[in-house]
Amino acid sequence: MRTTRVTVAALLAAAALTLTACGNEPAKTGSVTQISGGQNHDKAATVLDRPFSKPELVLTDTTGQPWNLREQTKGKPTLIYFGYTSCPDVCPLTMSNIAVAKKALPQADQDNLRIVFVTTDPDRDTPEVLAAWLKGQDPSFTGLTGDFATIQAAARTLGIGIEAAKTGADGKVVSMHGAQVIAFSPKTDEGYVLYGESTTVDDYTKDLPKLIKGENP
């Protein structure tokens, strides 16, 4: 078995990005393509031939303090995901899968791992809201909120498209966002592995020990 490999150029140059509207049908927009993990049906991971650079991103954490992504995660194995707390399905499932898999690691590895959740709905996801939501997932996860344009720009550098939250005809507020999880290596601080929304607890449980070492899953 081999892990699927794609280039950053392929992610950024494709014609359309599949966005996930939690609880709704996927929609298309003109930008880049979401590449789901497990394309070869053997493994969930997509290993990038040309890794993503870690965004220069400073947002507000759940304590209301500035949080610099590059500084806070330097030299640490890091998973980053863009979503929102009002999402009824994909976002909580993704974070729950990671939380369960993390608990299978030795304590030292758990302490070293950084899991970062960046909201795509900052108007509603205040630091207090993020803190309460992540407490139900894993209190050690970092939740970040801030200016939408800043968040959108950072996501786009990782091949992830997001749109500002909108109120639908049914009165529900929906945030469209790419559902990728990007893993950053502790050796290079580059995002070298991508996971799609179909990634399971077992997939993360198998891969995290290698990701923590900066190895290919």
PDB file of all heavy atoms in Angstrom, residues 16-22 24-29 32 34 160-163 175-180 197:
ATOM      1  N   ALA A  16     -12.217  24.327  -8.999  1.00  0.00           N
ATOM      2  CA  ALA A  16     -13.321  24.511  -8.046  1.00  0.00           C
ATOM      3  C   ALA A  16     -12.995  23.887  -6.717  1.00  0.00           C
ATOM      4  O   ALA A  16     -12.310  22.895  -6.640  1.00  0.00           O
ATOM      5  CB  ALA A  16     -14.593  23.888  -8.602  1.00  0.00           C
ATOM      6  N   LEU A  17     -13.522  24.515  -5.676  1.00  0.00           N
ATOM      7  CA  LEU A  17     -13.312  24.023  -4.313  1.00  0.00           C
ATOM      8  C   LEU A  17     -14.612  23.483  -3.761  1.00  0.00           C
ATOM      9  O   LEU A  17     -15.617  24.152  -3.777  1.00  0.00           O
ATOM     10  CB  LEU A  17     -12.820  25.164  -3.421  1.00  0.00           C
ATOM     11  CG  LEU A  17     -12.809  24.897  -1.926  1.00  0.00           C
ATOM     12  CD1 LEU A  17     -11.804  23.804  -1.610  1.00  0.00           C
ATOM     13  CD2 LEU A  17     -12.459  26.155  -1.164  1.00  0.00           C
ATOM     14  N   THR A  18     -14.599  22.228  -3.290  1.00  0.00           N
ATOM     15  CA  THR A  18     -15.784  21.671  -2.667  1.00  0.00           C
ATOM     16  C   THR A  18     -15.844  22.148  -1.232  1.00  0.00           C
ATOM     17  O   THR A  18     -14.968  21.852  -0.436  1.00  0.00           O
ATOM     18  CB  THR A  18     -15.736  20.129  -2.697  1.00  0.00           C
ATOM     19  OG1 THR A  18     -15.674  19.702  -4.049  1.00  0.00           O
ATOM     20  CG2 THR A  18     -16.976  19.553  -2.038  1.00  0.00           C
ATOM     21  N   LEU A  19     -16.869  22.885  -0.918  1.00  0.00           N
ATOM     22  CA  LEU A  19     -17.057  23.402   0.427  1.00  0.00           C
ATOM     23  C   LEU A  19     -18.115  22.572   1.129  1.00  0.00           C
ATOM     24  O   LEU A  19     -19.062  22.115   0.519  1.00  0.00           O
ATOM     25  CB  LEU A  19     -17.493  24.866   0.391  1.00  0.00           C
ATOM     26  CG  LEU A  19     -16.519  25.850  -0.264  1.00  0.00           C
ATOM     27  CD1 LEU A  19     -17.085  27.256  -0.193  1.00  0.00           C
ATOM     28  CD2 LEU A  19     -15.168  25.790   0.396  1.00  0.00           C
ATOM     29  N   THR A  20     -17.948  22.404   2.426  1.00  0.00           N
ATOM     30  CA  THR A  20     -18.915  21.675   3.209  1.00  0.00           C
ATOM     31  C   THR A  20     -19.808  22.642   3.948  1.00  0.00           C
ATOM     32  O   THR A  20     -19.334  23.464   4.722  1.00  0.00           O
ATOM     33  CB  THR A  20     -18.211  20.757   4.230  1.00  0.00           C
ATOM     34  OG1 THR A  20     -17.462  19.779   3.513  1.00  0.00           O
ATOM     35  CG2 THR A  20     -19.221  20.067   5.121  1.00  0.00           C
ATOM     36  N   ALA A  21     -21.096  22.554   3.698  1.00  0.00           N
ATOM     37  CA  ALA A  21     -22.065  23.297   4.490  1.00  0.00           C
ATOM     38  C   ALA A  21     -22.602  22.305   5.490  1.00  0.00           C
ATOM     39  O   ALA A  21     -23.356  21.418   5.134  1.00  0.00           O
ATOM     40  CB  ALA A  21     -23.186  23.842   3.616  1.00  0.00           C
ATOM     41  N   CYS A  22     -22.171  22.407   6.730  1.00  0.00           N
ATOM     42  CA  CYS A  22     -22.540  21.401   7.706  1.00  0.00           C
ATOM     43  C   CYS A  22     -24.048  21.229   7.748  1.00  0.00           C
ATOM     44  O   CYS A  22     -24.785  22.183   8.006  1.00  0.00           O
ATOM     45  CB  CYS A  22     -22.024  21.797   9.091  1.00  0.00           C
ATOM     46  SG  CYS A  22     -20.223  21.890   9.173  1.00  0.00           S
ATOM     47  N   ASN A  24     -25.845  20.407   5.141  1.00  0.00           N
ATOM     48  CA  ASN A  24     -26.420  20.657   3.828  1.00  0.00           C
ATOM     49  C   ASN A  24     -25.600  19.975   2.757  1.00  0.00           C
ATOM     50  O   ASN A  24     -24.570  19.360   3.019  1.00  0.00           O
ATOM     51  CB  ASN A  24     -26.482  22.161   3.538  1.00  0.00           C
ATOM     52  CG  ASN A  24     -27.450  22.873   4.449  1.00  0.00           C
ATOM     53  OD1 ASN A  24     -28.562  22.407   4.623  1.00  0.00           O
ATOM     54  ND2 ASN A  24     -27.037  23.988   5.026  1.00  0.00           N
ATOM     55  N   GLU A  25     -26.028  20.125   1.497  1.00  0.00           N
ATOM     56  CA  GLU A  25     -25.296  19.554   0.382  1.00  0.00           C
ATOM     57  C   GLU A  25     -24.057  20.385   0.095  1.00  0.00           C
ATOM     58  O   GLU A  25     -24.058  21.603   0.285  1.00  0.00           O
ATOM     59  CB  GLU A  25     -26.192  19.532  -0.868  1.00  0.00           C
ATOM     60  CG  GLU A  25     -27.352  18.573  -0.759  1.00  0.00           C
ATOM     61  CD  GLU A  25     -26.895  17.144  -0.632  1.00  0.00           C
ATOM     62  OE1 GLU A  25     -25.925  16.773  -1.308  1.00  0.00           O
ATOM     63  OE2 GLU A  25     -27.491  16.409   0.158  1.00  0.00           O
ATOM     64  N   PRO A  26     -22.958  19.751  -0.387  1.00  0.00           N
ATOM     65  CA  PRO A  26     -21.771  20.505  -0.750  1.00  0.00           C
ATOM     66  C   PRO A  26     -22.083  21.508  -1.857  1.00  0.00           C
ATOM     67  O   PRO A  26     -22.962  21.288  -2.673  1.00  0.00           O
ATOM     68  CB  PRO A  26     -20.791  19.427  -1.237  1.00  0.00           C
ATOM     69  CG  PRO A  26     -21.275  18.171  -0.598  1.00  0.00           C
ATOM     70  CD  PRO A  26     -22.766  18.311  -0.538  1.00  0.00           C
ATOM     71  N   ALA A  27     -21.331  22.599  -1.874  1.00  0.00           N
ATOM     72  CA  ALA A  27     -21.506  23.599  -2.917  1.00  0.00           C
ATOM     73  C   ALA A  27     -20.176  23.875  -3.579  1.00  0.00           C
ATOM     74  O   ALA A  27     -19.134  23.534  -3.056  1.00  0.00           O
ATOM     75  CB  ALA A  27     -22.075  24.889  -2.323  1.00  0.00           C
ATOM     76  N   LYS A  28     -20.221  24.496  -4.736  1.00  0.00           N
ATOM     77  CA  LYS A  28     -19.008  24.794  -5.500  1.00  0.00           C
ATOM     78  C   LYS A  28     -18.739  26.287  -5.505  1.00  0.00           C
ATOM     79  O   LYS A  28     -19.643  27.109  -5.522  1.00  0.00           O
ATOM     80  CB  LYS A  28     -19.175  24.315  -6.948  1.00  0.00           C
ATOM     81  CG  LYS A  28     -19.413  22.815  -7.095  1.00  0.00           C
ATOM     82  CD  LYS A  28     -18.168  22.016  -6.865  1.00  0.00           C
ATOM     83  CE  LYS A  28     -18.420  20.527  -7.157  1.00  0.00           C
ATOM     84  NZ  LYS A  28     -17.217  19.731  -6.992  1.00  0.00           N
ATOM     85  N   THR A  29     -17.480  26.641  -5.549  1.00  0.00           N
ATOM     86  CA  THR A  29     -17.103  28.039  -5.719  1.00  0.00           C
ATOM     87  C   THR A  29     -15.828  28.067  -6.542  1.00  0.00           C
ATOM     88  O   THR A  29     -15.104  27.077  -6.614  1.00  0.00           O
ATOM     89  CB  THR A  29     -16.872  28.733  -4.361  1.00  0.00           C
ATOM     90  OG1 THR A  29     -16.680  30.125  -4.598  1.00  0.00           O
ATOM     91  CG2 THR A  29     -15.655  28.217  -3.640  1.00  0.00           C
ATOM     92  N   VAL A  32     -10.057  26.663  -5.538  1.00  0.00           N
ATOM     93  CA  VAL A  32      -9.202  25.488  -5.572  1.00  0.00           C
ATOM     94  C   VAL A  32     -10.034  24.265  -5.241  1.00  0.00           C
ATOM     95  O   VAL A  32     -11.192  24.371  -4.866  1.00  0.00           O
ATOM     96  CB  VAL A  32      -8.034  25.615  -4.569  1.00  0.00           C
ATOM     97  CG1 VAL A  32      -7.117  26.735  -4.968  1.00  0.00           C
ATOM     98  CG2 VAL A  32      -8.553  25.821  -3.175  1.00  0.00           C
ATOM     99  N   GLN A  34     -10.869  20.855  -3.034  1.00  0.00           N
ATOM    100  CA  GLN A  34     -10.625  20.096  -1.810  1.00  0.00           C
ATOM    101  C   GLN A  34     -10.255  18.683  -2.212  1.00  0.00           C
ATOM    102  O   GLN A  34     -10.959  18.025  -2.962  1.00  0.00           O
ATOM    103  CB  GLN A  34     -11.883  20.051  -0.939  1.00  0.00           C
ATOM    104  CG  GLN A  34     -11.706  19.154   0.270  1.00  0.00           C
ATOM    105  CD  GLN A  34     -12.965  19.079   1.095  1.00  0.00           C
ATOM    106  OE1 GLN A  34     -13.793  19.970   1.063  1.00  0.00           O
ATOM    107  NE2 GLN A  34     -13.115  18.010   1.828  1.00  0.00           N
ATOM    108  N   ILE A 160      -7.562  25.703   1.527  1.00  0.00           N
ATOM    109  CA  ILE A 160      -8.872  25.521   2.149  1.00  0.00           C
ATOM    110  C   ILE A 160      -9.721  26.759   1.896  1.00  0.00           C
ATOM    111  O   ILE A 160      -9.348  27.865   2.302  1.00  0.00           O
ATOM    112  CB  ILE A 160      -8.733  25.276   3.670  1.00  0.00           C
ATOM    113  CG1 ILE A 160      -7.906  24.020   3.931  1.00  0.00           C
ATOM    114  CG2 ILE A 160     -10.102  25.155   4.326  1.00  0.00           C
ATOM    115  CD1 ILE A 160      -7.568  23.817   5.400  1.00  0.00           C
ATOM    116  N   GLY A 161     -10.846  26.590   1.254  1.00  0.00           N
ATOM    117  CA  GLY A 161     -11.741  27.709   0.995  1.00  0.00           C
ATOM    118  C   GLY A 161     -12.802  27.824   2.067  1.00  0.00           C
ATOM    119  O   GLY A 161     -13.330  26.816   2.532  1.00  0.00           O
ATOM    120  N   ILE A 162     -13.098  29.025   2.488  1.00  0.00           N
ATOM    121  CA  ILE A 162     -14.199  29.255   3.420  1.00  0.00           C
ATOM    122  C   ILE A 162     -14.969  30.483   2.966  1.00  0.00           C
ATOM    123  O   ILE A 162     -14.423  31.354   2.299  1.00  0.00           O
ATOM    124  CB  ILE A 162     -13.735  29.422   4.879  1.00  0.00           C
ATOM    125  CG1 ILE A 162     -12.858  30.669   5.044  1.00  0.00           C
ATOM    126  CG2 ILE A 162     -12.976  28.192   5.354  1.00  0.00           C
ATOM    127  CD1 ILE A 162     -12.463  30.945   6.492  1.00  0.00           C
ATOM    128  N   GLU A 163     -16.246  30.523   3.307  1.00  0.00           N
ATOM    129  CA  GLU A 163     -17.085  31.660   2.989  1.00  0.00           C
ATOM    130  C   GLU A 163     -17.697  32.200   4.275  1.00  0.00           C
ATOM    131  O   GLU A 163     -17.894  31.461   5.236  1.00  0.00           O
ATOM    132  CB  GLU A 163     -18.199  31.272   2.012  1.00  0.00           C
ATOM    133  CG  GLU A 163     -17.697  30.836   0.644  1.00  0.00           C
ATOM    134  CD  GLU A 163     -18.828  30.433  -0.290  1.00  0.00           C
ATOM    135  OE1 GLU A 163     -19.996  30.444   0.161  1.00  0.00           O
ATOM    136  OE2 GLU A 163     -18.535  30.085  -1.441  1.00  0.00           O
ATOM    137  N   SER A 175     -22.117  28.111   7.716  1.00  0.00           N
ATOM    138  CA  SER A 175     -20.769  28.512   7.326  1.00  0.00           C
ATOM    139  C   SER A 175     -20.211  27.478   6.357  1.00  0.00           C
ATOM    140  O   SER A 175     -20.076  26.303   6.700  1.00  0.00           O
ATOM    141  CB  SER A 175     -19.861  28.606   8.559  1.00  0.00           C
ATOM    142  OG  SER A 175     -18.528  28.895   8.183  1.00  0.00           O
ATOM    143  N   MET A 176     -19.912  27.904   5.140  1.00  0.00           N
ATOM    144  CA  MET A 176     -19.341  27.013   4.130  1.00  0.00           C
ATOM    145  C   MET A 176     -17.823  26.968   4.309  1.00  0.00           C
ATOM    146  O   MET A 176     -17.176  28.014   4.370  1.00  0.00           O
ATOM    147  CB  MET A 176     -19.677  27.530   2.736  1.00  0.00           C
ATOM    148  CG  MET A 176     -21.164  27.744   2.482  1.00  0.00           C
ATOM    149  SD  MET A 176     -22.087  26.216   2.347  1.00  0.00           S
ATOM    150  CE  MET A 176     -21.535  25.667   0.735  1.00  0.00           C
ATOM    151  N   HIS A 177     -17.280  25.772   4.374  1.00  0.00           N
ATOM    152  CA  HIS A 177     -15.837  25.667   4.593  1.00  0.00           C
ATOM    153  C   HIS A 177     -15.296  24.343   4.085  1.00  0.00           C
ATOM    154  O   HIS A 177     -15.994  23.325   4.053  1.00  0.00           O
ATOM    155  CB  HIS A 177     -15.516  25.784   6.089  1.00  0.00           C
ATOM    156  CG  HIS A 177     -16.141  24.703   6.932  1.00  0.00           C
ATOM    157  ND1 HIS A 177     -15.499  23.511   7.197  1.00  0.00           N
ATOM    158  CD2 HIS A 177     -17.328  24.648   7.558  1.00  0.00           C
ATOM    159  CE1 HIS A 177     -16.290  22.759   7.955  1.00  0.00           C
ATOM    160  NE2 HIS A 177     -17.411  23.430   8.187  1.00  0.00           N
ATOM    161  N   GLY A 178     -14.037  24.357   3.665  1.00  0.00           N
ATOM    162  CA  GLY A 178     -13.361  23.125   3.326  1.00  0.00           C
ATOM    163  C   GLY A 178     -13.157  22.299   4.585  1.00  0.00           C
ATOM    164  O   GLY A 178     -12.926  22.854   5.656  1.00  0.00           O
ATOM    165  N   ALA A 179     -13.246  20.987   4.458  1.00  0.00           N
ATOM    166  CA  ALA A 179     -13.225  20.119   5.646  1.00  0.00           C
ATOM    167  C   ALA A 179     -11.893  19.412   5.859  1.00  0.00           C
ATOM    168  O   ALA A 179     -11.824  18.401   6.541  1.00  0.00           O
ATOM    169  CB  ALA A 179     -14.356  19.095   5.548  1.00  0.00           C
ATOM    170  N   GLN A 180     -10.813  19.935   5.284  1.00  0.00           N
ATOM    171  CA  GLN A 180      -9.522  19.292   5.421  1.00  0.00           C
ATOM    172  C   GLN A 180      -8.895  19.522   6.801  1.00  0.00           C
ATOM    173  O   GLN A 180      -9.053  20.588   7.389  1.00  0.00           O
ATOM    174  CB  GLN A 180      -8.532  19.791   4.367  1.00  0.00           C
ATOM    175  CG  GLN A 180      -9.008  19.672   2.941  1.00  0.00           C
ATOM    176  CD  GLN A 180      -9.579  20.960   2.414  1.00  0.00           C
ATOM    177  OE1 GLN A 180     -10.433  21.574   3.046  1.00  0.00           O
ATOM    178  NE2 GLN A 180      -9.107  21.377   1.244  1.00  0.00           N
ATOM    179  N   GLU A 197     -12.751  14.741   5.221  1.00  0.00           N
ATOM    180  CA  GLU A 197     -13.790  14.610   6.231  1.00  0.00           C
ATOM    181  C   GLU A 197     -14.198  13.163   6.499  1.00  0.00           C
ATOM    182  O   GLU A 197     -14.848  12.882   7.505  1.00  0.00           O
ATOM    183  CB  GLU A 197     -15.018  15.421   5.831  1.00  0.00           C
ATOM    184  CG  GLU A 197     -15.715  14.952   4.570  1.00  0.00           C
ATOM    185  CD  GLU A 197     -16.871  15.861   4.203  1.00  0.00           C
ATOM    186  OE1 GLU A 197     -16.651  16.844   3.479  1.00  0.00           O
ATOM    187  OE2 GLU A 197     -17.993  15.585   4.649  1.00  0.00           O
TER     188      GLU A 197
END
